[in-house]
Amino acid sequence: MTGNEIRAKYLHFFESKGHKILPSASLIPHNDPSILWTAAGMVPFKPYFTGAAKPDVLRATTCQKCLRTPDIEEVGKTARHHTFFEMLGNFSFGDYFKQDAIPWAWEFVTEHLGLEPEKLWITIYLDDDEAFEIWHKDVGVPKERIVRMGKDTNFWEIGVGPCGPCSEIYYDLGPERGCDLPDCAVGCDCDRYLEIWNLVFIQFFRDEEGNYTPLKSKGIDTGMGLERVASVLQKVHSNFDTDLLRDIMDFTGNLTGKPYGSGSDIDLALKVIADHSRAVTFAVSDGALPSNEGRGYVLRRLLRRAVRFGRVLGMEEPFLYQVAGAVIEKMGAAYPELVKNSELVTKVIKTEEERFGETLAQGTEILNKLIGEAKEAGQNYIDGEKAFRLYDTYGFPIELTQEIAEENNLTVDEEGFARAMEQQRDRARNARQETEYLSEKAAQLKSILEQVGETVFTGYDTLAGRSKIKAVFSGGRQVEQAAAGEEVEIILDITPCYAESGGQMSDHAIISGIDAQVGVDEVTRPVQGIHLHKGKVNSGVVRVNDEVDIQVDRRRRMSIARNHSATHLLHKALKEVLGEHVNQAGSLVAPDRLRFDFTHFASIEPEELQRIEEIVNNAVLNNLKVEVVETSLDEAREMGAMALFEEKYGDHVRVVKMGDFSLELCGGTHVAATSEVGLFKLLGESSVGSGLRRVEAVTGEGAMDYMRAKEDQLQLIAKSVKAPLHEVVHKVEAIVQDLRDLEKETETLRARLARYEVQGILDRAREIAGVKVLASRSDAADMDSLRAMVDLLRDKMGSGVIVLGAAVNGKVNLVAGVSKDLVSRGLHAGKLIKEIAPLVGGGGGGRPDMAQAGGKDPSGLEGALDKVYSLVEAQAG
């Protein structure tokens, strides 16, 4: 079976078992800052397993694109390591459990994939007798092929939260793939027994003390690596030999003229390029862009690593963007977003390849500096940590560092390099939280949610309401009451407060009880169903079960709504002016301003900014009605609604429609008509990364404040130039022209004065050993003026040596000039300057005919000039 056939067969099998086939989520996790990438099939469903969000379906199946990088250096060297891979999965959110999951897994691998039962082995957790009974008695797996394993391999947990035992399916590839050791068995590090599927049974909740409590609502999370199972079915020794990767390797081989099988170095390069090009293509398609931090740094590292391996294949010019095209052609049917974003993908990759060429040149310059430092220190090697920094920061290949070092009779401290590399790997492993289900705080809130129920949000329709306090936190602890002066977090049963989400800042509000008042300055939604109101008790005592009134700060809410509606208009205007490739990459909607980040590859011209501003303001003036429609995701797509941030939307979505101009999925708050936005004013645009631009703007009161500040500036200018406002521009232009005329007149006078000074200085020339020598002070204001004077004197003198010195603002400038006929006699301006510069506390040098120096000690200037005559005598003799 091809990879496409296996993928389709898996999804349709579980669809027949009542699962809904869901599309792969983005590689960029939505609303999860704890992780950089979607690294497992369950990541998009974390909120469902924890109870932080309610699933629209209880059974789901996906083929999830995944990205992991801790073992990046092993890619291509082993049969199984990848950065990008596809994970097939079936999930139950409180529906079925082991009794169904285990037989279905067996049915699929034996009946639908046709794997031989006698070659399949099962692992279970040590005391998971329930799983053993199902595998042995219900499925019929012989008990000698069911292996009990420990917590380190067959129990899934990360800190506080849901967890449970695992059961894995292994395929025996045969003794010829083994290590020949007598104890070789399932779990051995050799290649004989290949794990193809892992079933996680989420049945416990682990608390802070390490106690395990059975969950009322149990879950199933499974993962089958598509590349692995394809290697078994296609009877190849490596994932890279499956059609999923081999087609891309063959494309690269044809492109470079170095086909797969030409040699170990070439094969390694082709494998790395195939793997990394898949990762880079999917990451860019999902909205990641190369940068120097976070996921942008990971993307840049992968891309540059692939380009470096392209050098092994003789590719000096950009080529990876063409390989990306092959990836899109290969995988576009399964992942249509690749085809949709193909222009963006190839442009980003090609641009980064070109920049990397410049970076390699920069790295060479730094390496040359390291070589110089090593030689100066008497070392015969380059420090390993510095070589690693060059590799890690600039992507400079260690092999190239070693080669250039060898040319300079140096070696590279390979142990130090390896040590630095391992330290980075340790940091990466320690930072991995790729499949963490739940933080301790969220676990606590989930428990409270079960006790007190959900907060009902009424803020789309009202800004005030009556509510009841369901829980109070102070000092990080849940309490029954809190008094004046305490910082608190409060959960209400009903709230009109909008919680921060999607770039929109939260509401501020006042909670008022019979004898208490709380000022709310932040509202969050840490788990679905809970609004957490953070603030300070201004007076009295707030208690659990108190009836309270809550009033949203209306002025703040309206300012935010204006800015949020303006971002929708701005997004549409950017697409109209710059092109359909523009996609939102982030935003901030605050009461005083809005910020909008988007994909684009060049700075925006002033004319384009003006056009964008005009389009938005025209939409505002047209008073377009803002309508909100709640509908299904499929219907929203049919309507043509734009989805932002690659969000994972539920089946029911909120569509914000602004006339026939803008249509977007959005959960934020908005004005009733675009005219309420008031004036829209762009403040400017800038770059925030490779292929990423940012615009900032103000509306409403913010725009009024901006215009008022500009008017105040204009009034100040008018007062300064003594002109009425309507004549300020003409008056300023006249003043500027007067200044230009004065500058020309000043230059003319300076030139005239210089000629007078030149004549006076020429009179001081002496003849030394048959050579005219002039060493004198000058009043030149800067080095350029001093050089010009030396040129003028040399022209007047014809043949001679001239050295001028000027003391300016406590510093010394020196310039020397030697006529061409004297250069041939051995006189050298650079050597003269080098000898006298130390006398003024400086240094310098230059060509035989012209040289200059600077110094810090004006008191030595006379001595330096006097020394010129003896030096010329020595040179001329």
Side-chain angles (χ1 to χ4, degrees):
M1 295 181 200
T2 65
N4 286 338
E5 288 169 341
I6 299 167
R7 188 191 299 114
K9 191 177 284 286
Y10 183 95
L11 295 174
H12 292 310
F13 171 79
F14 280 101
E15 185 179 40
S16 74
K17 303 296 185 185
H19 294 64
K20 182 172 183 180
I21 300 175
L22 296 177
S24 172
S26 169
L27 282 176
I28 300 174
H30 171 55
N31 277 346
D32 193 345
S34 69
I35 54 177
L36 288 181
W37 303 105
T38 300
M42 55 69 57
V43 169
F45 303 115
K46 282 169 62 176
Y48 302 158
F49 285 119
T50 64
K54 290 184 178 179
D56 296 300
V57 294
L58 296 179
R59 300 181 180 189
T61 183
T62 64
C63 184
Q64 176 62 48
K65 48 195 176 188
C66 300
L67 202 156
R68 296 180 187 173
T69 56
D71 299 313
I72 185 173
E73 298 297 330
E74 298 304 312
V75 172
K77 297 176 183 176
T78 69
R80 315 287 170 217
H81 278 101
H82 298 293
T83 56
F84 176 88
F85 59 96
E86 297 177 80
M87 188 176 284
L88 297 159
N90 58 284
F91 307 90
S92 167
F93 314 116
D95 187 9
Y96 64 87
F97 200 49
K98 297 178 191 178
Q99 195 68 45
D100 291 314
I102 290 173
W104 286 342
W106 186 260
E107 178 187 347
F108 182 73
V109 296
T110 57
E111 296 180 26
H112 294 265
L113 295 186
L115 297 182
E116 312 91 312
E118 63 275 12
K119 289 191 175 184
L120 296 173
W121 288 74
I122 307 299
T123 66
I124 60 171
Y125 180 56
L126 282 172
D127 61 4
D128 193 354
D129 294 331
E130 181 186 7
F132 178 85
E133 292 295 316
I134 297 171
W135 279 116
H136 179 49
K137 292 185 177 177
D138 296 357
V139 173
V141 178
K143 59 184 179 182
E144 61 270 15
R145 288 214 308 278
I146 303 174
V147 182
R148 294 179 185 264
M149 301 188 81
K151 201 169 188 179
D152 57 335
T153 60
N154 278 62
F155 194 94
W156 196 97
E157 65 178 348
I158 294 184
V160 173
C163 58
C166 308
S167 182
E168 300 163 317
I169 301 176
Y170 282 79
Y171 184 82
D172 183 0
L173 294 168
E176 66 277 7
R177 300 285 293 277
C179 57
D180 295 329
L181 293 174
D183 60 347
C184 181
V186 171
C188 181
D189 288 336
C190 71
D191 284 340
R192 175 171 178 176
Y193 298 96
L194 178 66
E195 179 206 331
I196 57 171
W197 203 346
N198 186 16
L199 292 79
V200 180
F201 309 125
I202 303 166
Q203 63 187 89
F204 299 111
F205 187 91
R206 184 183 187 274
D207 62 22
E208 297 90 336
E209 284 76 41
N211 302 311
Y212 295 88
T213 306
L215 290 169
K216 294 177 186 175
S217 179
K218 296 177 174 62
I220 292 291
D221 158 24
T222 80
M224 173 185 274
L226 178 59
E227 291 82 3
R228 286 192 174 200
V229 75
S231 73
V232 173
L233 291 169
Q234 294 175 18
K235 296 183 175 14
V236 292
H237 281 208
S238 161
N239 292 358
F240 291 95
D241 292 306
T242 67
D243 71 304
L244 291 163
L245 285 139
R246 181 61 187 269
D247 291 350
I248 301 167
M249 290 163 62
D250 287 343
F251 174 87
T252 309
N254 290 333
L255 181 68
T256 62
K258 304 283 178 64
Y260 186 53
S262 298
S264 57
D265 288 347
I266 289 172
D267 288 355
L268 174 61
L270 289 169
K271 288 175 181 178
V272 171
I273 291 167
D275 173 89
H276 290 8
S277 63
R278 295 206 308 170
V280 168
T281 301
F282 274 90
V284 173
S285 175
D286 282 350
L289 291 166
S291 68
N292 287 329
E293 58 186 16
R295 67 174 60 92
Y297 173 75
V298 174
L299 175 58
R300 175 165 282 169
R301 187 176 174 215
L302 286 169
L303 194 151
R304 291 183 171 186
R305 192 166 188 267
V307 171
R308 291 203 320 270
F309 275 94
R311 297 289 197 272
V312 175
L313 305 177
M315 300 303 290
E316 298 294 330
E317 297 299 318
F319 75 98
L320 196 64
Y321 73 97
Q322 296 180 66
V323 183
V327 173
I328 293 169
E329 186 176 342
K330 173 75 181 171
M331 307 186 76
Y335 300 97
E337 66 271 20
L338 291 178
V339 178
K340 177 187 172 187
N341 299 322
S342 60
E343 185 182 347
L344 171 71
V345 170
T346 53
K347 195 165 186 179
V348 168
I349 293 174
K350 188 176 183 184
T351 301
E352 184 65 15
E353 284 187 272
E354 290 167 347
R355 287 182 178 174
F356 183 43
E358 298 167 8
T359 299
L360 275 178
Q362 196 176 359
T364 303
E365 190 178 322
I366 293 169
L367 177 55
N368 288 335
K369 188 178 176 184
L370 293 179
I371 289 169
E373 289 173 357
K375 288 182 175 179
E376 211 170 289
Q379 294 176 185
N380 61 355
Y381 65 91
I382 292 173
D383 181 77
E385 193 171 323
K386 290 178 180 176
F388 176 76
R389 201 175 304 132
L390 186 63
Y391 161 78
D392 193 46
T393 306
Y394 294 94
F396 203 81
I398 182 60
E399 298 81 9
L400 190 54
T401 300
Q402 289 169 325
E403 188 179 314
I404 295 172
E406 191 177 334
E407 290 170 2
N408 287 271
N409 300 315
L410 298 175
T411 60
V412 176
D413 169 22
E414 292 184 34
E415 285 186 15
F417 181 89
R419 193 163 50 247
M421 174 76 80
E422 191 55 40
Q423 286 169 355
Q424 189 206 54
R425 284 176 178 160
D426 288 342
R427 286 192 297 271
R429 290 189 190 105
N430 292 337
R432 280 179 71 189
Q433 299 173 326
E434 291 169 333
T435 51
E436 182 182 358
Y437 279 107
L438 195 60
S439 68
E440 187 175 328
K441 178 72 172 179
Q444 184 183 22
L445 290 172
K446 178 183 177 293
S447 174
I448 290 167
L449 178 63
E450 291 174 354
Q451 298 168 26
V452 305
E454 293 188 0
T455 301
V456 177
F457 175 60
T458 59
Y460 288 135
D461 305 310
T462 182
L463 297 180
R466 186 80 175 158
S467 189
K468 187 175 186 178
I469 295 177
K470 307 299 289 185
V472 178
F473 297 87
S474 180
R477 296 181 302 107
Q478 189 175 358
V479 296
E480 287 299 309
Q481 63 181 43
E486 289 188 57
E487 300 283 343
V488 293
E489 295 174 318
I490 294 174
I491 298 174
L492 303 172
D493 64 344
I494 300 170
T495 185
C497 292
Y498 182 85
E500 182 172 340
S501 179
Q504 178 176 330
M505 294 181 73
S506 72
D507 285 330
H508 287 180
I510 295 291
I511 297 175
S512 304
I514 296 173
D515 65 345
Q517 187 189 80
V518 179
V520 176
D521 54 25
E522 186 183 359
V523 184
T524 60
R525 193 172 55 191
V527 299
Q528 186 176 338
I530 284 184
H531 277 56
L532 206 57
H533 304 74
K534 300 181 181 182
K536 186 176 182 179
V537 182
N538 294 329
S539 61
V541 177
V542 290
R543 301 175 181 84
V544 175
N545 293 324
D546 277 0
E547 295 282 342
V548 293
D549 292 310
I550 182 162
Q551 175 67 54
V552 172
D553 181 336
R554 186 180 185 283
R555 184 173 178 178
R556 176 185 169 88
R557 165 70 81 86
M558 286 306 299
S559 294
I560 291 173
R562 290 187 193 100
N563 284 332
H564 200 154
S565 295
T567 63
H568 286 222
L569 301 176
L570 174 62
H571 193 183
K572 179 68 173 176
L574 286 164
K575 281 182 173 288
E576 281 193 21
V577 174
L578 303 179
E580 283 298 317
H581 66 276
V582 167
N583 283 305
Q584 182 169 343
S587 70
L588 170 69
V589 181
D592 59 333
R593 71 193 191 285
L594 66 93
R595 187 179 72 217
F596 194 87
D597 296 344
F598 58 97
T599 50
H600 189 56
F601 298 91
S603 59
I604 307 175
E605 297 298 326
E607 298 79 15
E608 292 174 321
L609 285 172
Q610 188 174 350
R611 179 68 186 134
I612 291 161
E613 196 174 84
E614 283 175 0
I615 290 171
V616 174
N617 280 313
N618 282 338
V620 170
L621 291 171
N622 287 334
N623 194 28
L624 305 174
K625 185 179 180 183
V626 178
E627 300 174 86
V628 176
V629 180
E630 293 194 4
T631 183
S632 71
L633 182 57
D634 290 339
E635 286 177 358
R637 282 178 177 146
E638 285 175 19
M639 292 165 65
M642 281 193 291
L644 306 183
F645 300 108
E646 292 292 339
E647 295 195 18
K648 191 153 188 74
Y649 298 96
D651 272 354
H652 295 283
V653 294
R654 198 166 175 268
V655 179
V656 177
K657 184 175 184 288
M658 298 183 183
D660 294 326
F661 185 75
S662 170
L663 194 68
E664 292 190 12
L665 301 186
C666 180
T669 62
H670 291 274
V671 296
T674 57
S675 59
E676 293 181 36
V677 170
L679 176 66
F680 172 86
K681 184 63 190 170
L682 280 172
L683 301 181
E685 73 95 29
S686 58
S687 169
V688 286
S690 178
L692 200 62
R693 309 299 298 183
R694 169 176 291 171
V695 290
E696 297 189 64
V698 286
T699 67
E701 291 183 31
M704 287 170 58
D705 291 341
Y706 174 82
M707 299 305 291
R708 193 176 295 116
K710 291 296 179 188
E711 190 175 335
D712 289 344
Q713 285 180 335
L714 197 57
Q715 292 279 11
L716 190 60
I717 293 168
K719 186 177 179 181
S720 298
V721 300
K722 297 185 174 130
L725 277 178
H726 66 279
E727 291 182 8
V728 164
V729 174
H730 294 304
K731 187 63 183 283
V732 170
E733 285 176 345
I735 290 171
V736 169
Q737 187 58 49
D738 287 345
L739 283 171
R740 285 176 183 152
D741 292 342
L742 286 169
E743 282 173 0
K744 284 180 182 177
E745 189 177 335
T746 301
E747 284 301 315
T748 303
L749 289 170
R750 277 181 183 163
R752 195 176 298 166
L753 285 169
R755 282 197 295 274
Y756 289 138
E757 186 180 356
V758 163
Q759 191 55 53
I761 291 174
L762 276 174
D763 294 340
R764 300 174 208 160
R766 301 183 199 172
E767 190 165 311
I768 306 291
V771 175
K772 284 184 184 177
V773 182
L774 175 61
S776 177
R777 290 185 75 117
S778 170
D779 294 328
D782 51 40
M783 191 70 85
D784 287 341
S785 300
L786 200 61
R787 274 198 306 269
M789 189 168 288
V790 168
D791 285 337
L792 190 59
L793 286 164
R794 192 165 48 181
D795 290 343
K796 291 276 188 185
M797 186 181 284
S799 173
V801 175
I802 301 159
V803 179
L804 296 185
V808 183
N809 297 326
K811 293 183 179 179
V812 177
N813 292 328
L814 289 170
V815 176
V818 177
S819 59
K820 289 182 180 178
D821 62 311
L822 297 178
V823 169
S824 61
R825 283 182 54 182
L827 289 159
H828 196 293
K831 291 178 180 177
L832 286 173
I833 283 291
K834 192 174 182 181
E835 289 286 340
I836 66 172
L839 298 177
V840 292
R847 305 188 310 269
D849 62 325
M850 179 67 81
Q852 68 184 47
K856 303 174 184 175
D857 183 12
S859 66
L861 181 55
E862 290 298 337
L865 293 171
D866 284 343
K867 190 175 180 179
V868 170
Y869 298 103
S870 59
L871 291 172
V872 170
E873 187 172 12
Q875 283 191 17

